[in-house]
Amino acid sequence: MNFKPDKYGYYGEFGGAFIPELLHRNVEELQQQYEGIIGDPAFQKEYADLLRDYVGRPTPLYLAKRLSEKYSTNIYLKREDLNHTGAHKINNTIGQILLAKRLGKTRIIAETGAGQHGVATATVCALMNLDCIVYMGEVDIKRQAPNVARMKLLGAKVVPATCGSKTLKDATNEAIRDWINNPEDTHYIIGSVVGPHPYPDMVARFQSVISEEIKKQLLEKTGKENPDVVIACVGGGSNAAGAFYHFLDSPDVKLIGTEAAGMGIDTGHTAATLAIGTPGVIHACKTMLMQDAYGQITEPYSISAGLDYPGIGPLHAHLHGTKRASFLSITDEEAVKAAFLLCRLEGIIPALESSHALAALEKVKFQKHETIVVNLSGRGDKDLETYMNKMNHEQN
Amino acid sequence: MSRIKELFEKKKKELVSIYFTAGFPTVDSTMQILSALQENGTDIVELGMPFSDPLADGPVIQHSSEVAIKNGMNLDLLFEQTKEMRKSISIPIVLMGYLNPLLQYGLDKFLKRAAENGFDALIIPDLPIREYEMQYKPLFEKHGLQNIFLVTPQTNEERVRHIDKISNAFIYLVSSASTTGAKDKFATEQENYFKRIASYKLNNPLLTGFGISNRQTFEQACKYTNGAIIGSAFIKALEKDNNIKSVVSNFIHSIVKEKVA
Ligand SMILES: Cc1ncc(COP(=O)(O)O)c(C=O)c1O
C-alpha cells in the first residue's frame, strides 16, 4: 500500500487542493517548490541545526517504568513536551519559516487552537524578524490564556475569530481569508497535516523527525528499531503523522490514533471525526469531516482546544479507510484521568491533547514483551486551569 | 441558445448582476427578491446557497449565510421554492455556493435538480479548474450546466486564456485580491488590471465582481468589462429595510443611471 500522496496531493481518495482561484498562485508556488526547497542540502542543514541548538532535539525517548508496571508492558514516551515552546508544533514552524524566507515572504499568518502552534509560529517569527498574525477562536483565547500571553510577549498579533463555534475551524477560516486578502507578501503556516496540497505532505515531512528519532533511539535501547505499537492523539493529525511516518510501510508496527470524543461520540458534543464523520471538503481538502445531512459543517466539541476540529488530515482519513491504522475515541473524562495518572506515576504533566493518547493505554490490551511508544505531543502548562477545575470538582 | 448567451448577444454593456443569499433575510424571501430584481431590470441573478464556512466571503455574506441556515434554508427547500420559477422569471440565474454541500447532496442529483428547475450555470469558488477537469466535468456536461470560473489579479495570461477556452457562459473577473465585500472606489492598480484583461480580447464576456458597491465602482468596472456583480452592498441594503420591493427598486436605481426615455 502507498501512503505517500500522488502529485496532486491525493492519499487514495483523500486530499487534493480545493482552493478558490484567489489562492491559486500562492498554492501553486508551494506545490511546485516545496520539495526542491526542503530537499536542498543547505536547507536541510539549517533546519537540522536549528532543531538541535534551538528546539533542543533530539527529544528523549523515555522508558516510563511505573506506567509500564501498571499496564504490564513496556511503555516509552516520546518527549515532544520537552521541545522549546512545549510541543511538537515547532518542528513544523521551523521548517515552514525557513521555506517562507526562501520564497521571499515577509508576513506570516497562522491559525491556532490550543495556542501551541500560535506560540511556535510567533517564536520562529521573532527569531527570523518577520511580522506574525495569529488567528484564534474567541473560546480558545479564553481557555488557553497562557499561550495568548506568550504570543503577545513574542510580538505576534492575536486576532480573535468570532464566527461559528469560535474555535480552531473558525480560526482557520479567518487565516485563509487573510491569505486571500494578502496574496503577495504572506506565507500561511498551517499548523497541522490539513489544508490544500502540499500542506498535508509538507507538514508530515517536517514532523517526521519524531519517528526518525524513535527508530534510532529504540535501536539503541532495545536492539530493535521498530516498536510493536505507536500511539498518538489526532486533532488535524500532525504529531500522529510525524510519529507514524517512518513506520507506515512496516505493517508489523501497529498504529493507533486517538480522537477526542468530547462528552461521547453520540452526544452531539464531540470532535471524533473518523467515528462519526463522512467524506467531504473542509479547508480546501477532501477528507472525512463532521457535517449535517446538507453538508453544513458541524461545530465540534472537546475539552482539548487542540483536538477541537471537525476535520482530519487526508493521510489519516486514508489510514482509516485502508485500516492501516486504527482510531479510538477518548472522552474528556478519560483524557483527564490519564493526565492525572501520568502526573502521579511519572512526574510529567501532559497537555490535554496528549492525554488523549495516554488514555488509549486503558483501552488496548498489550503483551508483556511488547514495546509501546506513546507520543507525548506537549506539556500541560497551558492546561493548568482546566486541570485544577477538574481536580477541585473531584474533591467536592 | 442558452439564456446567458442570448443575454450577452442582446446586451453588451453595463449589465447589472445581483448576488443574494437564498433564505435571507427570511426563509421565504427568495422568490420575492428574484421577482423584484427582474422587475427592476436586473440582467442576471446569482443566487447564493448558504454554507457554514464560506471561505471566499467577507463578513456581510458570511452573516447572511449564517442567518439563512438558521432560518432553515437548505438545498431541498431551495429547489422546492424555485420549482415553478421559470413560469415567471426569464432572466438567467446562476447558482453560487461551496462544494461540500453539493457533494453531500450528491453532485449528480444536485445538478439534475438545478437543471430541471431552470438554473443556467454554477459558480463554485472552491472547485478549482484542476479538480473540475480531473473528476467533475462530465457530470456538469451531462446536465448541460456551465461552471463559471474566476480570474483574479494574480491569474497570469496563460491561465486566463485557458479559462477562456473552457468557459462557455461568462468569466467572473474578481476585482481585487480579496474576499467579497463592498468598497468605495477602485485604485489605479485595479484599473490597470481591468485594462490588462480587456486587452486579451477574450471570447467570453466578462463580469466584474467583489467590491462593487455604488454607481462609481459600477461604472469603473463597466468601462472595461461587460457588467458587474454586486453582492455585499445589496445584502446590506436588505438588512436595513424589510420592504423588499422598495429596497430592490431603490438599490438598483442607485447603481444604474436612469435611462433617458
Ligand atoms: C500538544 C498538542 N498535541 C496535539 C495537538 C493536535 O494537533 P495535531 O493533531 O496536528 O498533532 C495540538 C494542537 O494544538 C497540541 O497543542
Side-chain angles (χ1 to χ4, degrees):
Chain A
M1 232 177 287
N2 186 10
F3 301 107
K4 297 279 179 323
D6 69 15
K7 72 170 179 167
Y8 299 116
Y10 278 89
Y11 300 84
E13 64 178 295
F14 300 112
F18 293 82
I19 44 162
E21 182 63 26
L22 297 135
L23 289 177
H24 174 78
R25 202 184 58 175
N26 274 323
V27 171
E28 188 183 47
E29 180 182 39
L30 280 177
Q31 288 173 353
Q32 289 172 348
Q33 301 212 30
Y34 82 107
E35 285 182 300
I37 291 177
I38 297 174
D40 174 20
F43 179 97
Q44 286 286 331
K45 179 167 182 340
E46 206 178 345
Y47 180 58
D49 287 353
L50 279 170
L51 287 188
R52 186 190 61 230
D53 300 334
Y54 186 71
V55 176
R57 300 202 74 93
T59 58
L61 184 71
Y62 164 68
L63 174 62
K65 288 217 186 65
R66 296 186 64 203
L67 198 65
S68 297
E69 240 164 64
K70 173 163 166 64
Y71 292 108
S72 307
T73 188
N74 309 289
I75 300 168
Y76 289 85
L77 301 178
K78 181 59 175 162
R79 298 291 307 274
E80 292 301 300
D81 60 315
L82 294 178
N83 280 321
H84 178 40
T85 71
H88 67 292
K89 296 285 181 186
I90 197 162
N91 303 330
N92 169 42
T93 60
I94 294 269
Q96 285 205 47
I97 203 82
L98 295 177
L99 183 108
K101 286 197 75 145
R102 278 166 173 72
L103 293 173
K105 305 289 180 179
T106 55
R107 181 176 175 273
I108 300 296
I109 56 172
E111 84 297 335
T112 196
Q116 287 302 127
H117 175 59
V119 168
T121 304
T123 299
V124 296
C125 286
L127 185 67
M128 298 293 169
N129 191 26
L130 295 175
D131 285 346
C132 180
I133 295 101
V134 180
Y135 292 90
M136 187 168 188
E138 233 171 21
V139 168
D140 294 338
I141 287 181
K142 288 207 187 84
R143 62 177 161 171
Q144 306 278 230
N147 275 343
V148 178
R150 290 164 83 200
M151 285 185 265
K152 287 184 178 162
L153 266 175
L154 291 161
K157 188 173 158 207
V158 180
V159 182
T162 56
C163 280
S165 52
K166 303 180 177 56
T167 58
L168 182 54
K169 161 178 85 86
D170 313 285
T172 308
N173 288 341
E174 288 308 326
I176 293 175
R177 289 184 186 119
D178 179 309
W179 208 19
I180 287 176
N181 283 289
N182 297 281
E184 301 288 341
D185 58 350
T186 299
H187 175 67
Y188 176 18
I189 301 191
I190 294 185
S192 193
V193 287
V194 300
H197 174 59
Y199 281 102
D201 184 46
M202 182 165 72
V203 176
R205 289 184 195 215
F206 289 139
Q207 292 294 356
S208 69
V209 64
I210 299 173
S211 48
E212 192 184 313
E213 289 176 4
I214 292 173
K215 270 174 116 76
K216 276 194 211 128
Q217 292 166 321
L218 268 186
L219 185 64
E220 268 168 34
K221 286 175 199 288
T222 68
K224 267 176 54 186
E225 59 174 19
N226 283 0
D228 297 291
V229 184
V230 181
I231 305 173
C233 69
V234 181
S238 67
N239 87 87
F244 294 171
Y245 199 87
H246 291 286
F247 304 116
L248 287 170
D249 297 321
S250 307
D252 49 320
V253 181
K254 202 171 155 197
L255 307 174
I256 299 176
T258 60
E259 297 191 292
M263 298 186 187
I265 59 171
D266 302 322
T267 61
H269 301 280
T270 183
T273 305
L274 290 174
I276 66 161
T278 48
V281 172
I282 180 171
H283 296 137
C285 176
K286 189 179 267 186
T287 187
M288 299 291 279
L289 62 125
M290 296 178 4
Q291 55 188 327
D292 70 13
Y294 287 103
Q296 308 296 354
I297 297 174
T298 314
E299 295 181 2
Y301 165 79
S302 164
I303 193 172
S304 144
L307 305 183
D308 201 351
Y309 183 67
I312 188 167
L315 166 66
H316 296 292
H318 182 55
L319 293 176
H320 174 73
T322 57
K323 300 201 161 57
R324 171 65 190 95
S326 52
F327 293 84
L328 304 175
S329 311
I330 304 295
T331 64
D332 290 357
E333 292 303 318
E334 290 165 336
V336 170
K337 210 172 133 206
F340 288 174
L341 188 72
L342 192 74
C343 294
R344 298 301 173 89
L345 287 185
E346 299 289 347
I348 297 171
I349 304 172
L352 270 168
E353 291 76 19
S354 321
S355 307
H356 286 72
L358 292 163
L361 297 170
E362 280 287 331
K363 301 210 149 182
V364 185
K365 267 253 141 292
F366 304 105
Q367 306 290 321
K368 219 173 167 55
H369 61 84
E370 281 184 319
T371 300
I372 317 300
V373 175
V374 179
N375 195 37
L376 198 68
S377 57
R379 59 180 176 238
D381 308 32
K382 67 186 177 60
D383 299 313
L384 290 186
E385 197 183 322
T386 309
Y387 285 145
M388 288 318 293
N389 286 343
K390 286 281 171 192
M391 210 161 120
N392 295 337
H393 189 75
E394 273 177 24
Q395 279 162 1
N396 289 337
Chain B
M1 203 181 340
S2 78
R3 265 182 289 264
I4 293 178
K5 276 223 142 75
E6 213 169 305
L7 170 68
F8 283 102
E9 296 264 302
K10 264 199 336 240
K11 188 169 172 183
K12 304 222 177 323
K13 286 192 116 26
E14 303 205 353
L15 273 84
V16 182
S17 179
I18 299 286
Y19 168 93
F20 72 97
T21 306
F24 178 87
T26 63
V27 72
D28 48 22
S29 49
T30 314
M31 281 311 298
Q32 292 172 50
I33 296 174
L34 260 183
S35 305
L37 285 171
Q38 170 165 282
E39 257 164 50
N40 286 281
T42 306
D43 296 298
I44 301 191
V45 170
E46 267 141 56
L47 184 54
M49 303 171 282
F51 179 46
S52 55
D53 296 79
L55 283 181
D57 285 301
V60 174
I61 294 180
Q62 279 176 50
H63 176 70
S64 70
S65 300
E66 203 180 320
V67 172
I69 293 169
K70 276 202 193 111
N71 285 343
M73 180 47 68
N74 61 48
L75 286 176
D76 280 322
L77 184 59
L78 179 62
F79 286 134
E80 196 50 48
Q81 288 179 349
T82 55
K83 209 170 174 170
E84 312 265 274
M85 99 186 155
R86 283 300 170 203
K87 290 198 171 145
S88 57
I89 307 286
S90 57
I91 56 176
I93 304 172
V94 178
L95 280 172
M96 181 159 183
Y98 290 80
L99 185 58
N100 193 56
L102 314 189
L103 293 180
Q104 187 67 12
Y105 197 73
L107 194 57
D108 194 29
K109 176 175 148 199
F110 167 80
L111 292 168
K112 179 168 179 279
R113 292 198 71 178
E116 279 168 4
N117 281 16
F119 289 103
D120 298 284
L122 289 156
I123 302 176
I124 307 169
D126 60 345
L127 179 53
I129 295 165
R130 181 194 285 162
E131 304 291 349
Y132 171 74
E133 291 187 321
M134 266 184 354
Q135 44 189 331
Y136 301 113
K137 195 171 163 210
L139 275 183
F140 284 75
E141 286 173 352
K142 172 177 157 194
H143 296 288
L145 283 166
Q146 260 293 305
N147 196 25
I148 288 165
F149 294 102
L150 276 56
V151 160
T152 82
Q154 275 72 39
T155 315
N156 65 26
E157 176 170 357
E158 188 191 342
R159 192 167 166 86
V160 173
R161 296 211 178 275
H162 180 68
I163 290 171
D164 192 36
K165 211 162 87 197
I166 62 173
S167 297
N168 192 20
F170 63 88
I171 293 173
Y172 192 135
L173 195 71
V174 176
S175 66
S176 61
S178 76
T179 46
T180 54
K183 293 184 183 62
D184 290 334
K185 60 177 203 268
F186 289 130
T188 32
E189 199 183 314
Q190 278 160 297
E191 293 241 18
N192 290 340
Y193 154 63
F194 293 155
K195 280 185 203 161
R196 169 170 78 89
I197 303 293
S199 76
Y200 296 159
K201 306 249 175 294
L202 302 175
N203 295 321
N204 285 276
L206 294 163
L207 293 181
T208 308
F210 287 40
I212 315 288
S213 67
N214 51 25
R215 187 172 298 181
Q216 187 184 357
T217 42
F218 178 76
E219 284 175 354
Q220 273 175 301
C222 288
K223 231 160 93 186
Y224 304 100
T225 62
N226 305 75
I229 304 165
I230 305 163
S232 297
F234 179 64
I235 291 186
K236 269 193 207 158
L238 284 174
E239 268 170 1
K240 280 199 207 108
D241 189 343
N242 51 21
N243 184 335
I244 285 173
K245 275 191 176 221
S246 68
V247 174
V248 172
S249 149
N250 291 340
F251 186 82
I252 300 290
H253 295 103
S254 75
I255 300 289
V256 197
K257 262 186 277 190
E258 297 291 343
K259 296 273 178 298
V260 191

